[in-house]
Short mmCIF file of all heavy atoms in Angstrom, two decimals:
data_model
loop_
_atom_site.label_atom_id
_atom_site.label_comp_id
_atom_site.label_asym_id
_atom_site.label_seq_id
_atom_site.Cartn_x
_atom_site.Cartn_y
_atom_site.Cartn_z
N GLU A 67 9.55 53.32 46.19
CA GLU A 67 8.22 52.84 45.82
C GLU A 67 8.24 52.18 44.43
O GLU A 67 9.11 52.46 43.61
CB GLU A 67 7.21 53.98 45.84
CG GLU A 67 7.48 55.08 44.82
CD GLU A 67 6.44 56.18 44.87
OE1 GLU A 67 5.93 56.51 45.96
OE2 GLU A 67 6.13 56.72 43.78
N THR A 68 7.24 51.30 44.23
CA THR A 68 7.00 50.67 42.93
C THR A 68 5.53 50.83 42.61
O THR A 68 4.67 50.59 43.46
CB THR A 68 7.36 49.17 42.95
OG1 THR A 68 8.76 49.03 43.20
CG2 THR A 68 7.02 48.49 41.63
N ARG A 69 5.22 51.27 41.39
CA ARG A 69 3.85 51.51 41.00
C ARG A 69 3.38 50.48 39.97
O ARG A 69 4.12 50.14 39.05
CB ARG A 69 3.69 52.92 40.41
CG ARG A 69 3.97 54.02 41.42
CD ARG A 69 3.95 55.40 40.78
NE ARG A 69 4.14 56.44 41.78
CZ ARG A 69 3.14 57.13 42.32
NH1 ARG A 69 1.89 56.87 41.94
NH2 ARG A 69 3.38 58.05 43.22
N VAL A 70 2.16 50.02 40.15
CA VAL A 70 1.54 49.08 39.21
C VAL A 70 0.23 49.67 38.75
O VAL A 70 -0.64 50.00 39.58
CB VAL A 70 1.29 47.70 39.85
CG1 VAL A 70 0.60 46.77 38.87
CG2 VAL A 70 2.60 47.10 40.33
N SER A 71 0.07 49.85 37.41
CA SER A 71 -1.16 50.42 36.87
C SER A 71 -2.26 49.37 36.83
O SER A 71 -2.02 48.21 36.48
CB SER A 71 -0.92 50.97 35.46
OG SER A 71 0.01 52.04 35.49
N LEU A 72 -3.47 49.75 37.19
CA LEU A 72 -4.62 48.85 37.18
C LEU A 72 -5.69 49.42 36.26
O LEU A 72 -6.02 50.61 36.32
CB LEU A 72 -5.20 48.70 38.59
CG LEU A 72 -4.26 48.13 39.66
CD1 LEU A 72 -4.98 48.08 41.00
CD2 LEU A 72 -3.78 46.74 39.26
N HIS A 73 -6.21 48.54 35.39
CA HIS A 73 -7.29 48.92 34.47
C HIS A 73 -8.57 48.26 34.98
O HIS A 73 -8.66 47.05 35.08
CB HIS A 73 -6.98 48.45 33.05
CG HIS A 73 -8.10 48.68 32.08
ND1 HIS A 73 -8.21 47.98 30.90
CD2 HIS A 73 -9.16 49.54 32.12
CE1 HIS A 73 -9.28 48.38 30.25
NE2 HIS A 73 -9.87 49.34 30.98
N LEU A 74 -9.57 49.07 35.29
CA LEU A 74 -10.84 48.58 35.81
C LEU A 74 -11.93 48.81 34.77
O LEU A 74 -12.10 49.93 34.28
CB LEU A 74 -11.20 49.30 37.12
CG LEU A 74 -10.14 49.24 38.23
CD1 LEU A 74 -10.59 50.07 39.43
CD2 LEU A 74 -9.88 47.80 38.63
N HIS A 75 -12.61 47.72 34.42
CA HIS A 75 -13.72 47.83 33.47
C HIS A 75 -15.00 47.47 34.21
O HIS A 75 -15.10 46.41 34.85
CB HIS A 75 -13.51 46.87 32.30
CG HIS A 75 -14.60 46.92 31.28
ND1 HIS A 75 -14.64 47.88 30.29
CD2 HIS A 75 -15.69 46.14 31.10
CE1 HIS A 75 -15.70 47.68 29.54
NE2 HIS A 75 -16.37 46.63 30.00
N VAL A 76 -15.97 48.31 34.11
CA VAL A 76 -17.25 48.09 34.78
C VAL A 76 -18.16 47.33 33.81
O VAL A 76 -18.44 47.80 32.71
CB VAL A 76 -17.90 49.41 35.21
CG1 VAL A 76 -19.25 49.15 35.88
CG2 VAL A 76 -16.98 50.18 36.14
N ALA A 77 -18.55 46.14 34.22
CA ALA A 77 -19.38 45.30 33.35
C ALA A 77 -20.52 44.72 34.16
O ALA A 77 -20.45 44.59 35.40
CB ALA A 77 -18.55 44.17 32.73
N ALA A 78 -21.57 44.34 33.47
CA ALA A 78 -22.70 43.67 34.12
C ALA A 78 -22.24 42.32 34.62
O ALA A 78 -21.35 41.68 34.04
CB ALA A 78 -23.86 43.52 33.14
N PRO A 79 -22.83 41.82 35.71
CA PRO A 79 -22.43 40.51 36.24
C PRO A 79 -22.56 39.43 35.16
O PRO A 79 -23.61 39.27 34.54
CB PRO A 79 -23.42 40.27 37.39
CG PRO A 79 -23.85 41.64 37.81
CD PRO A 79 -23.87 42.47 36.56
N GLY A 80 -21.48 38.72 34.92
CA GLY A 80 -21.47 37.62 33.96
C GLY A 80 -21.13 38.04 32.55
O GLY A 80 -20.74 37.21 31.72
N SER A 81 -21.29 39.33 32.22
CA SER A 81 -21.08 39.78 30.84
C SER A 81 -19.63 39.64 30.41
O SER A 81 -19.32 39.06 29.37
CB SER A 81 -21.54 41.23 30.69
OG SER A 81 -21.22 41.71 29.40
N LEU A 82 -18.71 40.22 31.21
CA LEU A 82 -17.30 40.16 30.84
C LEU A 82 -16.79 38.72 30.84
O LEU A 82 -16.00 38.33 29.97
CB LEU A 82 -16.47 41.02 31.80
CG LEU A 82 -15.01 41.25 31.40
CD1 LEU A 82 -14.93 41.94 30.05
CD2 LEU A 82 -14.30 42.09 32.47
N GLN A 83 -17.26 37.92 31.78
CA GLN A 83 -16.85 36.51 31.82
C GLN A 83 -17.27 35.79 30.54
O GLN A 83 -16.51 34.99 29.97
CB GLN A 83 -17.46 35.80 33.03
CG GLN A 83 -16.91 36.27 34.37
CD GLN A 83 -17.75 37.37 34.97
OE1 GLN A 83 -18.34 38.19 34.25
NE2 GLN A 83 -17.82 37.41 36.30
N ALA A 84 -18.49 36.06 30.08
CA ALA A 84 -18.97 35.41 28.86
C ALA A 84 -18.18 35.87 27.65
O ALA A 84 -17.82 35.06 26.77
CB ALA A 84 -20.46 35.70 28.67
N LEU A 85 -17.88 37.19 27.57
CA LEU A 85 -17.14 37.70 26.41
C LEU A 85 -15.71 37.15 26.38
O LEU A 85 -15.19 36.79 25.31
CB LEU A 85 -17.13 39.23 26.44
CG LEU A 85 -18.51 39.90 26.23
CD1 LEU A 85 -18.41 41.40 26.46
CD2 LEU A 85 -19.04 39.60 24.83
N ASN A 86 -15.04 37.09 27.54
CA ASN A 86 -13.69 36.51 27.57
C ASN A 86 -13.72 35.02 27.21
O ASN A 86 -12.84 34.52 26.51
CB ASN A 86 -13.08 36.70 28.96
CG ASN A 86 -12.71 38.15 29.23
OD1 ASN A 86 -12.52 38.93 28.31
ND2 ASN A 86 -12.61 38.51 30.51
N ALA A 87 -14.75 34.32 27.70
CA ALA A 87 -14.89 32.90 27.37
C ALA A 87 -15.11 32.71 25.89
O ALA A 87 -14.66 31.71 25.30
CB ALA A 87 -16.02 32.28 28.18
N ALA A 88 -15.80 33.66 25.23
CA ALA A 88 -16.02 33.57 23.79
C ALA A 88 -14.69 33.60 23.04
O ALA A 88 -14.48 32.86 22.06
CB ALA A 88 -16.93 34.70 23.32
N THR A 89 -13.77 34.45 23.49
CA THR A 89 -12.45 34.52 22.85
C THR A 89 -11.72 33.19 22.97
O THR A 89 -11.10 32.70 22.01
CB THR A 89 -11.62 35.65 23.48
OG1 THR A 89 -12.32 36.89 23.33
CG2 THR A 89 -10.26 35.75 22.84
N ASP A 90 -11.79 32.58 24.16
CA ASP A 90 -11.11 31.30 24.36
C ASP A 90 -11.78 30.17 23.57
O ASP A 90 -11.11 29.27 23.07
CB ASP A 90 -11.08 30.95 25.85
CG ASP A 90 -10.20 31.92 26.64
OD1 ASP A 90 -9.15 32.32 26.10
OD2 ASP A 90 -10.57 32.26 27.77
N ALA A 91 -13.11 30.22 23.47
CA ALA A 91 -13.81 29.20 22.67
C ALA A 91 -13.41 29.29 21.21
O ALA A 91 -13.26 28.28 20.52
CB ALA A 91 -15.33 29.36 22.83
N ASP A 92 -13.21 30.51 20.74
CA ASP A 92 -12.77 30.69 19.35
C ASP A 92 -11.37 30.11 19.16
O ASP A 92 -11.07 29.49 18.14
CB ASP A 92 -12.79 32.17 19.00
CG ASP A 92 -12.57 32.41 17.52
OD1 ASP A 92 -13.37 31.94 16.71
OD2 ASP A 92 -11.56 33.07 17.17
N ALA A 93 -10.48 30.28 20.15
CA ALA A 93 -9.13 29.72 20.08
C ALA A 93 -9.16 28.19 20.07
O ALA A 93 -8.27 27.53 19.53
CB ALA A 93 -8.28 30.21 21.24
N LEU A 94 -10.21 27.63 20.67
CA LEU A 94 -10.37 26.18 20.70
C LEU A 94 -11.04 25.63 19.44
O LEU A 94 -11.39 24.45 19.39
CB LEU A 94 -11.21 25.77 21.92
CG LEU A 94 -10.49 25.73 23.26
CD1 LEU A 94 -11.50 25.57 24.39
CD2 LEU A 94 -9.47 24.60 23.29
N ALA A 95 -11.27 26.51 18.44
CA ALA A 95 -11.94 26.11 17.20
C ALA A 95 -13.35 25.63 17.49
O ALA A 95 -13.82 24.64 16.93
CB ALA A 95 -11.13 25.05 16.46
N ARG A 96 -14.04 26.34 18.42
CA ARG A 96 -15.45 26.07 18.72
C ARG A 96 -16.25 27.33 18.34
O ARG A 96 -16.72 28.08 19.20
CB ARG A 96 -15.64 25.76 20.20
CG ARG A 96 -14.93 24.51 20.73
CD ARG A 96 -15.68 23.24 20.47
NE ARG A 96 -17.08 23.26 20.86
CZ ARG A 96 -17.54 22.79 22.02
NH1 ARG A 96 -16.71 22.28 22.91
NH2 ARG A 96 -18.85 22.81 22.26
N PRO A 97 -16.41 27.61 17.02
CA PRO A 97 -17.04 28.88 16.62
C PRO A 97 -18.48 29.02 17.08
O PRO A 97 -18.92 30.13 17.43
CB PRO A 97 -16.94 28.84 15.09
CG PRO A 97 -16.77 27.39 14.73
CD PRO A 97 -15.99 26.80 15.86
N GLU A 98 -19.25 27.95 17.09
CA GLU A 98 -20.65 28.05 17.53
C GLU A 98 -20.72 28.39 19.01
O GLU A 98 -21.53 29.22 19.45
CB GLU A 98 -21.37 26.74 17.25
CG GLU A 98 -21.56 26.46 15.76
CD GLU A 98 -22.34 25.19 15.52
OE1 GLU A 98 -22.80 24.57 16.50
OE2 GLU A 98 -22.50 24.81 14.35
N LEU A 99 -19.85 27.78 19.81
CA LEU A 99 -19.80 28.09 21.23
C LEU A 99 -19.36 29.54 21.44
O LEU A 99 -19.88 30.25 22.30
CB LEU A 99 -18.87 27.12 21.95
CG LEU A 99 -18.66 27.35 23.45
CD1 LEU A 99 -19.99 27.22 24.20
CD2 LEU A 99 -17.65 26.33 24.01
#
Side-chain angles (χ1 to χ4, degrees):
E67 64 179 35
T68 297
R69 295 174 176 262
V70 178
S71 296
L72 300 178
H73 174 201
L74 305 176
H75 180 82
V76 179
S81 174
L82 190 60
Q83 292 93 328
L85 293 172
N86 288 338
T89 302
D90 293 322
D92 189 61
L94 281 169
R96 298 277 310 264
E98 292 183 4
L99 178 61

